[in-house]
Amino acid sequence: MKGILSYDEADKCLDILEETYPDAHCELEHTNPFELLVATILSAQCTDVRVNKVTAEMFKKYNKPEDFAMMDINILEELIKECGLYRNKAKNIKASSNVILEEFNGKVPETIKELMKLPGVGKKTANVVASTCFGVQAIAVDTHVFRVSNRIGFVNEKNVSATERALQNKIDKNRWTKAHHLFIFHGRRCCTARNPKCDFCTVKDFCKYHKEI
């Protein structure tokens, strides 16, 4: 397809992105898998910066499934209110905590399939937790990954699920998790939704969008 990177071009583009962002990593602050699970649930339609501000205080007192399973839902809602959609997120955090305690012996499950059994945990959240905490190679497609990968021309897809499948076919599996972080870093720092900083982009020679402007 015209404008879509070949496998070799995609590989070279990722090499350059790795040189550009050698420290690319999950920016949701956490000290254990459960904290990351909660933070990722909170990150839906919310920035990592705001989530980190909320969890920095909350995790000082509450950072285990037992804490949230026993917590009054109104107290939890108040703790996470700044993250938006707080009623639904509170319900899912509390319910997931109970499932972890009852079905997984109090430990966050390590596989994507098992993580998706938790209330409110979709493929993206499961991918983030499994890849970051348990070394599972995965490409979690958030708004940045979707925008950047389609804009540059790694893939040409219309939705998140199709983008994930196409990226898995385009990128070597041992690079999936790293590619996820690289796309996010590039999307936040250069390839922004509005007014992307093409003049400063290190991969503009590969980019379908840049070639068309």
Side-chain angles (χ1 to χ4, degrees), residues 6 17 114 162:
S6 68
L17 287 174
E114 288 184 322

Side-chain angles (χ1 to χ4, degrees), residues 19-34:
E19 292 174 6
T20 307
Y21 310 106
D23 62 335
H25 64 284
C26 177
E27 293 188 286
L28 288 170
E29 295 172 0
H30 62 282
T31 63
N32 60 54
F34 182 73

Side-chain angles (χ1 to χ4, degrees), residues 47-66:
T47 66
D48 285 6
V49 172
R50 184 171 295 277
V51 172
N52 288 338
K53 180 181 176 183
V54 168
T55 58
E57 292 304 313
M58 184 170 71
F59 288 161
K60 289 178 183 177
K61 291 184 66 177
Y62 314 106
N63 70 344
K64 298 186 294 295
E66 298 91 329

Side-chain angles (χ1 to χ4, degrees), residues 57-91:
E57 292 304 313
M58 184 170 71
F59 288 161
K60 289 178 183 177
K61 291 184 66 177
Y62 314 106
N63 70 344
K64 298 186 294 295
E66 298 91 329
D67 298 331
F68 294 99
M70 297 172 63
M71 187 181 295
D72 182 279
I73 192 71
N74 295 312
I75 293 174
L76 179 52
E77 287 178 358
E78 193 62 32
L79 287 171
I80 66 172
K81 200 168 187 177
E82 289 183 44
C83 292
L85 305 175
Y86 63 93
R87 287 194 174 90
N88 197 47
K89 291 176 181 179
K91 180 184 70 175

Side-chain angles (χ1 to χ4, degrees), residues 64-134:
K64 298 186 294 295
E66 298 91 329
D67 298 331
F68 294 99
M70 297 172 63
M71 187 181 295
D72 182 279
I73 192 71
N74 295 312
I75 293 174
L76 179 52
E77 287 178 358
E78 193 62 32
L79 287 171
I80 66 172
K81 200 168 187 177
E82 289 183 44
C83 292
L85 305 175
Y86 63 93
R87 287 194 174 90
N88 197 47
K89 291 176 181 179
K91 180 184 70 175
N92 288 332
I93 290 170
K94 189 171 175 65
S96 288
S97 298
N98 278 305
V99 173
I100 289 170
L101 291 170
E102 293 167 6
E103 298 184 23
F104 297 102
N105 298 314
K107 294 184 178 181
V108 174
E110 299 185 10
T111 68
I112 292 170
K113 184 177 180 180
E114 288 184 322
L115 280 161
M116 289 179 68
K117 293 178 180 178
L118 302 177
V121 175
K123 188 69 182 300
K124 186 193 81 170
T125 297
N127 282 351
V128 169
V129 175
S131 62
T132 303
C133 296
F134 304 116

Side-chain angles (χ1 to χ4, degrees), residues 123 141 146 157-168:
K123 188 69 182 300
V141 181
F146 179 78
E157 303 296 341
K158 301 299 183 183
N159 60 62
V160 166
S161 297
T163 295
E164 181 182 348
R165 290 192 297 271
L167 285 171
Q168 288 174 335

